[in-house]
Amino acid sequence: MRKLINAPSDVVADALRGLAAAHPSLRVDVEGRTVVRADAPVAGKVALVSGGGSGHEPLHAGFVGFGMLDAAAPGEVFTSPTPDQILAATLAVAGEAGAVHIVKNYTGDVMNFKMAAELADDEDVQVEQVVVDDDVAVVDSTFTAGRRGTGGTLFVEKIAGAMAEDGAPLAAVAEVAREVNERTRSFGVALSPSTVPAAGRPTFELAEGEMELGIGIHGEPGRERVKAGTAREIVDASLSAIDADMPLRGEELLVLVNGMGGTPLIEQYIAAGAVSDWLSDHSARAVRTLVGPFVTSLEMAGCMVSVCRITPELLQFWDAPVETSSLRWGR
């Protein structure tokens, strides 16, 4: 195992110290494992709180800031944050307007966020929970009941974050977050595994010349293993799976071409070109395309494609200004 770390047990703490050093506008509690926007709590604003296992950076801490999340609770690598962490993050940013918890659909995350919401209620903080389950690859996987939450989480956090920044009330912010989730689908392909530092060995094995279709962001099994293909073949497999679940013909789409952590940006742009061609061939159109490693799985090589059937109102919130450590435009 060759990783740029000090010790496997210190990975998350050391990363949070580095985040704090690089971005002094954030309030980072290394011991308590929370990341909070510097100006929180913002009076009268619904707070957005998310979190999950570390190893998916920049998700979620990299999306804390103006126009997106108010706080994030990073767990250990590929491990859910604790209810106490989530509660501390919530109380640090939520006022009378309440908070929305955006939760990827993994059993531990859902359970711990639910417990934290109940504890927040004891503190007179109203919380709405929104569960993201955008992955079409498998149902009832290793870590989930139902579909996994993956790349589409970024769409939910950005659009709901813009609406909250605009002063919308709690019910409306939660409703738009659920709408974005319902309009979003994702599919991922792995070309190589990742290695959790504490384990010191790959999360799964791929034979030379194989790829995993429908991989999860923790290395969970996908639909099948097949011979490794070209970028066009990978994109066709991904978008065909999405199209079978949510027809794309005639739709205007928000598109994320997401690197899984170990794929160079040049290859991600090759995939983005293949996505554009596929959509054109199927009478669909990407009105916005975001390319980059935004929802990763440590050093896994591969690609995840996420699409959202966008509306003019949702597009306005997508285009609204955002200023976080890893996503920013318009300010």
Side-chain angles (χ1 to χ4, degrees), residues 145-169:
R147 291 178 168 177
R148 302 176 295 212
T150 56
T153 311
L154 185 153
F155 295 159
V156 176
E157 293 179 352
K158 171 62 183 78
I159 292 173
M163 193 174 191
E165 203 71 60
D166 203 38

Side-chain angles (χ1 to χ4, degrees), residues 187-200:
F187 191 90
V189 176
L191 303 177
S192 73
S194 58
T195 298
V196 176

Side-chain angles (χ1 to χ4, degrees), residues 106 141-144 148 204 212 214-222 300:
Y106 295 95
S141 66
T142 311
F143 296 103
T144 65
R148 302 176 295 212
F204 61 95
E212 180 97 14
I215 194 72
I217 58 174
H218 306 95
E220 311 97 310
M300 181 188 290

Side-chain angles (χ1 to χ4, degrees), residues 273-296:
V275 168
S276 179
D277 291 343
W278 192 100
L279 294 177
S280 179
D281 291 343
H282 292 78
S283 302
R285 184 172 75 95
V287 296
R288 300 287 187 276
T289 300
L290 184 65
V291 180
F294 292 102
V295 182
T296 63

Side-chain angles (χ1 to χ4, degrees), residues 152-184:
T153 311
L154 185 153
F155 295 159
V156 176
E157 293 179 352
K158 171 62 183 78
I159 292 173
M163 193 174 191
E165 203 71 60
D166 203 38
L170 180 62
V173 175
E175 181 181 359
V176 83
R178 295 185 182 108
E179 180 185 359
V180 174
N181 178 61
E182 290 167 1
R183 289 175 167 273
T184 298

Side-chain angles (χ1 to χ4, degrees), residues 71-208:
E76 293 298 320
V77 175
F78 292 1
T79 303
S80 302
T82 67
D84 286 347
Q85 272 182 269
I86 301 162
L87 176 64
T90 303
L91 296 181
V93 297
E96 293 183 359
V100 174
H101 284 175
I102 297 175
V103 189
K104 300 189 304 302
N105 188 35
Y106 295 95
T107 302
D109 288 16
V110 173
M111 178 179 66
N112 288 354
F113 270 89
K114 182 179 179 181
M115 292 176 63
E118 292 170 351
L119 293 169
D121 184 65
D122 293 339
E123 301 286 341
D124 295 323
V125 174
Q126 187 178 0
V127 175
E128 289 266 5
Q129 186 181 84
V130 176
V131 177
V132 181
D133 56 356
D134 56 305
D135 182 21
V136 304
V138 295
V139 177
D140 297 331
S141 66
T142 311
F143 296 103
T144 65
R147 291 178 168 177
R148 302 176 295 212
T150 56
T153 311
L154 185 153
F155 295 159
V156 176
E157 293 179 352
K158 171 62 183 78
I159 292 173
M163 193 174 191
E165 203 71 60
D166 203 38
L170 180 62
V173 175
E175 181 181 359
V176 83
R178 295 185 182 108
E179 180 185 359
V180 174
N181 178 61
E182 290 167 1
R183 289 175 167 273
T184 298
R185 301 290 189 276
S186 299
F187 191 90
V189 176
L191 303 177
S192 73
S194 58
T195 298
V196 176
R201 60 182 182 276
T203 52
F204 61 95
E205 294 183 2
L206 276 177
E208 188 170 347

Side-chain angles (χ1 to χ4, degrees), residues 23 163 284 314:
H23 302 285
M163 193 174 191
L314 295 179

Side-chain angles (χ1 to χ4, degrees), residues 17 43 69 104 111 137 154 183 236 240 253 265 273 312 328:
R17 291 187 188 96
L69 297 178
K104 300 189 304 302
M111 178 179 66
L154 185 153
R183 289 175 167 273
D236 178 70
S240 294
L253 302 166
L265 195 56
R328 58 179 63 194

